[in-house]
Amino acid sequence: MYRFSNTVIGVLNLLSLLASIPIIGAALWKARSSTTCENFLQTPLLVIGFIILLVSLAGFIGACFNVAWALWVYLVVMILLIATLMGLTLFGLVVTSQGGGVEVPGRVYKEYRLGDYHPWLRERVRDQEYWNSIRSCILTSKTCSKIESWTTLDYFQRDMTSVQSGCCKPPTACTYETGVIVGGEDCYKWSNGIETLCYECDACKAGVLEEIRLDWRKLSVVNILVLVLLIAVYAAGCCAFHNTRHAAHPYHPSDDNRMTKVRPRWDYYWWRWWHEKKEQLY
């Protein structure tokens, strides 16, 4: 049983150690990618990946080399990691439960409304300093330049990303009257200037939030899979910790109080003495 549980936790920790590499890689890829300008998911990915890497390494060493203190630290950090990851996953599922695009009649793409998203996300993009950094990123990524050459027919037949739909064109509800664009509040924020467009529109902020929502939903699925693996590893770690302590201290002080053999009752001796006397008489 000792070798079996330690082998299991060694294998599981090796798997979780290998699983941390794609998580770290995904965070680094998102940091270098020009397709997204929201980077607050990159830091949690990096932190989670490196913690899983270090914890798995500690558990692997403790299980394979019978280092009890390493397993003890491993189990404490592991339960904290499981609790933290579970909280972040639940928070992410709640925050991303609202939102989604609205169908536009006669168009392939969707449009997005800021009021459809969770208040916590809305407050982030309403912070002007925070939004300025996202806006600069969108300008640098040249997201809107990809549809500059579209014809009128392209707008009816081709799809757009959520950021292109919200930031690179005026809302479909906007109309022109005597050369002036009219409609909702976003219509008056629109400009043909390449550095202005609809970057200050609520539709643009909603488009960015939609991209965040989709990325976060994917991350939540990964978190659930990692949670299942970590719980399995933690259960095996408890067994390995118990076995490692038992290997280091094979005799527990309480063993002295255990009965080493069964003593016969007093009537057994009386019965034996009586039968011996009867044999002597006869």
Side-chain angles (χ1 to χ4, degrees):
M1 179 65 184
Y2 168 74
R3 291 182 178 178
F4 175 75
S5 60
N6 279 30
T7 301
V8 169
I9 190 175
V11 172
L12 289 176
N13 275 286
L14 181 61
L15 291 175
S16 60
L17 188 148
L18 294 175
S20 67
I21 297 175
I23 295 176
I24 296 173
L28 295 176
W29 177 82
K30 284 180 69 65
R32 295 175 60 89
S33 175
S34 61
T35 59
T36 177
C37 291
E38 175 51 71
N39 57 10
F40 80 94
L41 290 177
Q42 297 163 14
T43 302
L45 275 175
L46 282 174
V47 172
I48 291 172
F50 277 112
I51 290 178
I52 293 175
L53 178 67
L54 296 176
V55 170
S56 300
L57 187 61
F60 184 78
I61 294 173
C64 294
F65 298 98
N66 302 330
V67 183
W69 68 265
L71 275 176
W72 184 84
V73 173
Y74 160 80
L75 291 175
V76 172
V77 177
M78 181 66 80
I79 193 65
L80 294 176
L81 178 61
I82 290 174
T84 302
L85 194 57
M86 190 175 295
L88 288 175
T89 303
L90 291 175
F91 177 74
L93 291 174
V94 171
V95 167
T96 59
S97 62
Q98 302 177 27
V102 178
E103 298 286 346
V104 181
R107 309 294 172 95
V108 179
Y109 59 83
K110 295 181 179 180
E111 292 187 337
Y112 305 87
R113 301 170 182 170
L114 187 60
D116 293 341
Y117 292 87
H118 193 276
W120 186 83
L121 290 175
R122 293 202 303 265
E123 289 302 317
R124 288 185 66 85
V125 295
R126 280 174 176 166
D127 180 4
Q128 194 58 43
E129 182 179 355
Y130 182 76
W131 178 249
N132 287 339
S133 65
I134 297 179
R135 173 180 173 172
S136 299
C137 178
I138 297 174
L139 280 168
T140 304
S141 66
K142 299 182 179 180
T143 301
C144 293
S145 63
K146 297 175 183 178
I147 64 171
E148 283 182 355
S149 60
W150 280 19
T151 64
T152 304
L153 186 61
D154 289 330
Y155 280 92
F156 284 93
Q157 295 180 342
R158 300 178 66 177
D159 199 5
M160 299 182 184
T161 66
S162 59
V163 174
Q164 288 174 334
S165 175
C167 305
C168 305
K169 65 173 188 60
T172 308
C174 300
T175 57
Y176 284 91
E177 293 182 4
T178 62
V180 179
I181 190 170
V182 296
E185 184 178 351
D186 280 353
C187 298
Y188 299 101
K189 296 178 180 179
W190 163 260
S191 172
N192 287 324
I194 192 63
E195 293 188 359
T196 306
L197 297 180
C198 212
Y199 293 130
E200 293 300 325
C201 298
D202 286 348
C204 184
K205 297 176 181 179
V208 172
L209 290 185
E210 177 63 16
E211 190 169 304
I212 295 172
R213 189 182 77 89
L214 295 177
D215 286 345
W216 207 339
R217 297 289 285 190
K218 295 175 183 177
L219 180 61
S220 295
V221 174
V222 174
N223 286 345
I224 292 172
L225 296 177
V226 172
L227 269 174
V228 172
L229 177 61
L230 291 182
I231 292 172
V233 171
Y234 181 79
C238 291
C239 295
F241 179 69
H242 174 76
N243 291 335
T244 301
R245 288 192 61 188
H246 184 71
H249 307 284
Y251 298 103
H252 196 272
S254 62
D255 292 343
D256 297 335
N257 298 325
R258 294 178 182 175
M259 185 179 295
T260 58
K261 61 181 180 179
V262 178
R263 295 182 178 180
R265 298 192 324 178
W266 65 270
D267 55 349
Y268 168 78
Y269 296 103
W270 171 257
W271 176 84
R272 184 175 179 181
W273 176 83
W274 171 251
H275 280 275
E276 288 177 354
K277 288 297 182 181
K278 286 178 65 177
E279 289 178 358
Q280 291 176 2
L281 291 175
Y282 293 102

PDB file of all heavy atoms in Angstrom, residues 55 72-86 227 230-231 234 238:
ATOM      1  N   VAL A  55       4.070  23.510  -6.622  1.00  0.00           N
ATOM      2  CA  VAL A  55       3.422  22.578  -5.693  1.00  0.00           C
ATOM      3  C   VAL A  55       3.554  21.143  -6.189  1.00  0.00           C
ATOM      4  O   VAL A  55       3.829  20.218  -5.408  1.00  0.00           O
ATOM      5  CB  VAL A  55       1.936  22.962  -5.515  1.00  0.00           C
ATOM      6  CG1 VAL A  55       1.183  21.880  -4.762  1.00  0.00           C
ATOM      7  CG2 VAL A  55       1.818  24.276  -4.765  1.00  0.00           C
ATOM      8  N   TRP A  72       4.110  17.762   3.755  1.00  0.00           N
ATOM      9  CA  TRP A  72       3.262  18.572   4.655  1.00  0.00           C
ATOM     10  C   TRP A  72       3.030  19.949   4.050  1.00  0.00           C
ATOM     11  O   TRP A  72       1.905  20.441   3.999  1.00  0.00           O
ATOM     12  CB  TRP A  72       3.933  18.681   6.019  1.00  0.00           C
ATOM     13  CG  TRP A  72       3.097  19.407   7.025  1.00  0.00           C
ATOM     14  CD1 TRP A  72       2.104  18.899   7.805  1.00  0.00           C
ATOM     15  CD2 TRP A  72       3.177  20.803   7.340  1.00  0.00           C
ATOM     16  NE1 TRP A  72       1.559  19.885   8.587  1.00  0.00           N
ATOM     17  CE2 TRP A  72       2.194  21.063   8.327  1.00  0.00           C
ATOM     18  CE3 TRP A  72       3.978  21.854   6.889  1.00  0.00           C
ATOM     19  CZ2 TRP A  72       2.001  22.328   8.863  1.00  0.00           C
ATOM     20  CZ3 TRP A  72       3.781  23.120   7.429  1.00  0.00           C
ATOM     21  CH2 TRP A  72       2.804  23.347   8.406  1.00  0.00           C
ATOM     22  N   VAL A  73       4.106  20.594   3.593  1.00  0.00           N
ATOM     23  CA  VAL A  73       3.982  21.905   2.938  1.00  0.00           C
ATOM     24  C   VAL A  73       3.129  21.785   1.680  1.00  0.00           C
ATOM     25  O   VAL A  73       2.279  22.634   1.393  1.00  0.00           O
ATOM     26  CB  VAL A  73       5.375  22.465   2.596  1.00  0.00           C
ATOM     27  CG1 VAL A  73       5.251  23.741   1.765  1.00  0.00           C
ATOM     28  CG2 VAL A  73       6.160  22.738   3.865  1.00  0.00           C
ATOM     29  N   TYR A  74       3.346  20.713   0.959  1.00  0.00           N
ATOM     30  CA  TYR A  74       2.600  20.460  -0.278  1.00  0.00           C
ATOM     31  C   TYR A  74       1.099  20.396  -0.018  1.00  0.00           C
ATOM     32  O   TYR A  74       0.297  20.995  -0.747  1.00  0.00           O
ATOM     33  CB  TYR A  74       3.114  19.165  -0.891  1.00  0.00           C
ATOM     34  CG  TYR A  74       2.189  18.496  -1.872  1.00  0.00           C
ATOM     35  CD1 TYR A  74       2.104  18.941  -3.180  1.00  0.00           C
ATOM     36  CD2 TYR A  74       1.406  17.404  -1.483  1.00  0.00           C
ATOM     37  CE1 TYR A  74       1.261  18.316  -4.086  1.00  0.00           C
ATOM     38  CE2 TYR A  74       0.568  16.787  -2.380  1.00  0.00           C
ATOM     39  CZ  TYR A  74       0.502  17.247  -3.677  1.00  0.00           C
ATOM     40  OH  TYR A  74      -0.334  16.634  -4.556  1.00  0.00           O
ATOM     41  N   LEU A  75       0.691  19.665   1.030  1.00  0.00           N
ATOM     42  CA  LEU A  75      -0.738  19.498   1.316  1.00  0.00           C
ATOM     43  C   LEU A  75      -1.377  20.805   1.760  1.00  0.00           C
ATOM     44  O   LEU A  75      -2.510  21.115   1.390  1.00  0.00           O
ATOM     45  CB  LEU A  75      -0.930  18.416   2.386  1.00  0.00           C
ATOM     46  CG  LEU A  75      -0.613  16.989   1.957  1.00  0.00           C
ATOM     47  CD1 LEU A  75      -0.729  16.027   3.138  1.00  0.00           C
ATOM     48  CD2 LEU A  75      -1.530  16.541   0.825  1.00  0.00           C
ATOM     49  N   VAL A  76      -0.647  21.597   2.568  1.00  0.00           N
ATOM     50  CA  VAL A  76      -1.187  22.884   3.032  1.00  0.00           C
ATOM     51  C   VAL A  76      -1.386  23.839   1.858  1.00  0.00           C
ATOM     52  O   VAL A  76      -2.444  24.459   1.712  1.00  0.00           O
ATOM     53  CB  VAL A  76      -0.250  23.516   4.083  1.00  0.00           C
ATOM     54  CG1 VAL A  76      -0.695  24.934   4.419  1.00  0.00           C
ATOM     55  CG2 VAL A  76      -0.220  22.671   5.345  1.00  0.00           C
ATOM     56  N   VAL A  77      -0.354  23.955   1.012  1.00  0.00           N
ATOM     57  CA  VAL A  77      -0.457  24.849  -0.142  1.00  0.00           C
ATOM     58  C   VAL A  77      -1.512  24.344  -1.119  1.00  0.00           C
ATOM     59  O   VAL A  77      -2.249  25.129  -1.721  1.00  0.00           O
ATOM     60  CB  VAL A  77       0.910  24.983  -0.834  1.00  0.00           C
ATOM     61  CG1 VAL A  77       0.803  25.851  -2.086  1.00  0.00           C
ATOM     62  CG2 VAL A  77       1.933  25.578   0.117  1.00  0.00           C
ATOM     63  N   MET A  78      -1.600  23.023  -1.254  1.00  0.00           N
ATOM     64  CA  MET A  78      -2.560  22.449  -2.200  1.00  0.00           C
ATOM     65  C   MET A  78      -4.004  22.771  -1.801  1.00  0.00           C
ATOM     66  O   MET A  78      -4.817  23.135  -2.662  1.00  0.00           O
ATOM     67  CB  MET A  78      -2.364  20.938  -2.283  1.00  0.00           C
ATOM     68  CG  MET A  78      -3.295  20.237  -3.260  1.00  0.00           C
ATOM     69  SD  MET A  78      -2.985  20.699  -4.975  1.00  0.00           S
ATOM     70  CE  MET A  78      -1.578  19.673  -5.350  1.00  0.00           C
ATOM     71  N   ILE A  79      -4.332  22.663  -0.516  1.00  0.00           N
ATOM     72  CA  ILE A  79      -5.714  22.939  -0.097  1.00  0.00           C
ATOM     73  C   ILE A  79      -6.036  24.424  -0.271  1.00  0.00           C
ATOM     74  O   ILE A  79      -7.159  24.792  -0.640  1.00  0.00           O
ATOM     75  CB  ILE A  79      -5.944  22.496   1.371  1.00  0.00           C
ATOM     76  CG1 ILE A  79      -7.430  22.486   1.687  1.00  0.00           C
ATOM     77  CG2 ILE A  79      -5.191  23.356   2.348  1.00  0.00           C
ATOM     78  CD1 ILE A  79      -8.242  21.480   0.916  1.00  0.00           C
ATOM     79  N   LEU A  80      -5.037  25.298  -0.040  1.00  0.00           N
ATOM     80  CA  LEU A  80      -5.244  26.729  -0.275  1.00  0.00           C
ATOM     81  C   LEU A  80      -5.421  27.014  -1.768  1.00  0.00           C
ATOM     82  O   LEU A  80      -6.260  27.836  -2.154  1.00  0.00           O
ATOM     83  CB  LEU A  80      -4.059  27.531   0.270  1.00  0.00           C
ATOM     84  CG  LEU A  80      -3.866  27.519   1.789  1.00  0.00           C
ATOM     85  CD1 LEU A  80      -2.596  28.262   2.173  1.00  0.00           C
ATOM     86  CD2 LEU A  80      -5.075  28.135   2.496  1.00  0.00           C
ATOM     87  N   LEU A  81      -4.647  26.322  -2.594  1.00  0.00           N
ATOM     88  CA  LEU A  81      -4.757  26.504  -4.041  1.00  0.00           C
ATOM     89  C   LEU A  81      -6.115  26.036  -4.541  1.00  0.00           C
ATOM     90  O   LEU A  81      -6.747  26.704  -5.379  1.00  0.00           O
ATOM     91  CB  LEU A  81      -3.638  25.733  -4.737  1.00  0.00           C
ATOM     92  CG  LEU A  81      -3.632  25.769  -6.269  1.00  0.00           C
ATOM     93  CD1 LEU A  81      -3.477  27.194  -6.778  1.00  0.00           C
ATOM     94  CD2 LEU A  81      -2.533  24.876  -6.826  1.00  0.00           C
ATOM     95  N   ILE A  82      -6.591  24.894  -4.033  1.00  0.00           N
ATOM     96  CA  ILE A  82      -7.900  24.373  -4.442  1.00  0.00           C
ATOM     97  C   ILE A  82      -9.002  25.353  -4.061  1.00  0.00           C
ATOM     98  O   ILE A  82      -9.897  25.642  -4.859  1.00  0.00           O
ATOM     99  CB  ILE A  82      -8.140  22.991  -3.812  1.00  0.00           C
ATOM    100  CG1 ILE A  82      -7.203  21.948  -4.453  1.00  0.00           C
ATOM    101  CG2 ILE A  82      -9.598  22.558  -3.982  1.00  0.00           C
ATOM    102  CD1 ILE A  82      -7.262  20.588  -3.794  1.00  0.00           C
ATOM    103  N   ALA A  83      -8.940  25.881  -2.823  1.00  0.00           N
ATOM    104  CA  ALA A  83      -9.963  26.829  -2.366  1.00  0.00           C
ATOM    105  C   ALA A  83      -9.938  28.108  -3.200  1.00  0.00           C
ATOM    106  O   ALA A  83     -10.998  28.630  -3.598  1.00  0.00           O
ATOM    107  CB  ALA A  83      -9.750  27.148  -0.892  1.00  0.00           C
ATOM    108  N   THR A  84      -8.733  28.626  -3.482  1.00  0.00           N
ATOM    109  CA  THR A  84      -8.611  29.850  -4.278  1.00  0.00           C
ATOM    110  C   THR A  84      -9.113  29.641  -5.695  1.00  0.00           C
ATOM    111  O   THR A  84      -9.857  30.470  -6.241  1.00  0.00           O
ATOM    112  CB  THR A  84      -7.145  30.315  -4.309  1.00  0.00           C
ATOM    113  OG1 THR A  84      -6.685  30.523  -2.970  1.00  0.00           O
ATOM    114  CG2 THR A  84      -7.014  31.612  -5.093  1.00  0.00           C
ATOM    115  N   LEU A  85      -8.696  28.542  -6.295  1.00  0.00           N
ATOM    116  CA  LEU A  85      -9.103  28.262  -7.672  1.00  0.00           C
ATOM    117  C   LEU A  85     -10.607  28.041  -7.773  1.00  0.00           C
ATOM    118  O   LEU A  85     -11.247  28.466  -8.736  1.00  0.00           O
ATOM    119  CB  LEU A  85      -8.349  27.039  -8.187  1.00  0.00           C
ATOM    120  CG  LEU A  85      -8.388  26.778  -9.693  1.00  0.00           C
ATOM    121  CD1 LEU A  85      -7.851  27.973 -10.462  1.00  0.00           C
ATOM    122  CD2 LEU A  85      -7.583  25.533 -10.036  1.00  0.00           C
ATOM    123  N   MET A  86     -11.178  27.402  -6.760  1.00  0.00           N
ATOM    124  CA  MET A  86     -12.632  27.189  -6.751  1.00  0.00           C
ATOM    125  C   MET A  86     -13.373  28.523  -6.641  1.00  0.00           C
ATOM    126  O   MET A  86     -14.367  28.756  -7.336  1.00  0.00           O
ATOM    127  CB  MET A  86     -13.011  26.271  -5.584  1.00  0.00           C
ATOM    128  CG  MET A  86     -14.440  25.788  -5.605  1.00  0.00           C
ATOM    129  SD  MET A  86     -14.774  24.592  -4.283  1.00  0.00           S
ATOM    130  CE  MET A  86     -13.702  23.246  -4.781  1.00  0.00           C
ATOM    131  N   LEU A 227      -9.129  21.712 -11.348  1.00  0.00           N
ATOM    132  CA  LEU A 227      -9.635  21.448 -10.003  1.00  0.00           C
ATOM    133  C   LEU A 227      -9.848  19.956  -9.762  1.00  0.00           C
ATOM    134  O   LEU A 227      -9.490  19.432  -8.700  1.00  0.00           O
ATOM    135  CB  LEU A 227     -10.964  22.200  -9.784  1.00  0.00           C
ATOM    136  CG  LEU A 227     -10.877  23.598  -9.194  1.00  0.00           C
ATOM    137  CD1 LEU A 227     -12.253  24.251  -9.183  1.00  0.00           C
ATOM    138  CD2 LEU A 227     -10.313  23.549  -7.782  1.00  0.00           C
ATOM    139  N   LEU A 230      -6.458  18.426  -9.296  1.00  0.00           N
ATOM    140  CA  LEU A 230      -5.842  18.806  -8.026  1.00  0.00           C
ATOM    141  C   LEU A 230      -6.489  18.094  -6.846  1.00  0.00           C
ATOM    142  O   LEU A 230      -5.804  17.705  -5.889  1.00  0.00           O
ATOM    143  CB  LEU A 230      -5.932  20.319  -7.833  1.00  0.00           C
ATOM    144  CG  LEU A 230      -5.087  21.183  -8.770  1.00  0.00           C
ATOM    145  CD1 LEU A 230      -5.241  22.649  -8.415  1.00  0.00           C
ATOM    146  CD2 LEU A 230      -3.622  20.786  -8.717  1.00  0.00           C
ATOM    147  N   ILE A 231      -7.810  17.923  -6.888  1.00  0.00           N
ATOM    148  CA  ILE A 231      -8.492  17.208  -5.799  1.00  0.00           C
ATOM    149  C   ILE A 231      -8.048  15.748  -5.757  1.00  0.00           C
ATOM    150  O   ILE A 231      -7.817  15.172  -4.682  1.00  0.00           O
ATOM    151  CB  ILE A 231     -10.020  17.325  -5.962  1.00  0.00           C
ATOM    152  CG1 ILE A 231     -10.472  18.771  -5.725  1.00  0.00           C
ATOM    153  CG2 ILE A 231     -10.748  16.389  -5.000  1.00  0.00           C
ATOM    154  CD1 ILE A 231     -11.921  19.036  -6.045  1.00  0.00           C
ATOM    155  N   TYR A 234      -4.583  15.755  -4.348  1.00  0.00           N
ATOM    156  CA  TYR A 234      -4.607  16.031  -2.907  1.00  0.00           C
ATOM    157  C   TYR A 234      -5.013  14.789  -2.112  1.00  0.00           C
ATOM    158  O   TYR A 234      -4.427  14.502  -1.061  1.00  0.00           O
ATOM    159  CB  TYR A 234      -5.581  17.172  -2.617  1.00  0.00           C
ATOM    160  CG  TYR A 234      -5.659  17.546  -1.157  1.00  0.00           C
ATOM    161  CD1 TYR A 234      -4.666  18.335  -0.589  1.00  0.00           C
ATOM    162  CD2 TYR A 234      -6.710  17.115  -0.359  1.00  0.00           C
ATOM    163  CE1 TYR A 234      -4.722  18.682   0.755  1.00  0.00           C
ATOM    164  CE2 TYR A 234      -6.764  17.455   0.978  1.00  0.00           C
ATOM    165  CZ  TYR A 234      -5.773  18.236   1.531  1.00  0.00           C
ATOM    166  OH  TYR A 234      -5.820  18.567   2.857  1.00  0.00           O
ATOM    167  N   CYS A 238      -2.611  12.896   0.682  1.00  0.00           N
ATOM    168  CA  CYS A 238      -2.925  12.582   2.079  1.00  0.00           C
ATOM    169  C   CYS A 238      -2.478  11.154   2.413  1.00  0.00           C
ATOM    170  O   CYS A 238      -1.902  10.900   3.483  1.00  0.00           O
ATOM    171  CB  CYS A 238      -4.419  12.758   2.331  1.00  0.00           C
ATOM    172  SG  CYS A 238      -4.978  14.480   2.279  1.00  0.00           S
TER     173      CYS A 238
END
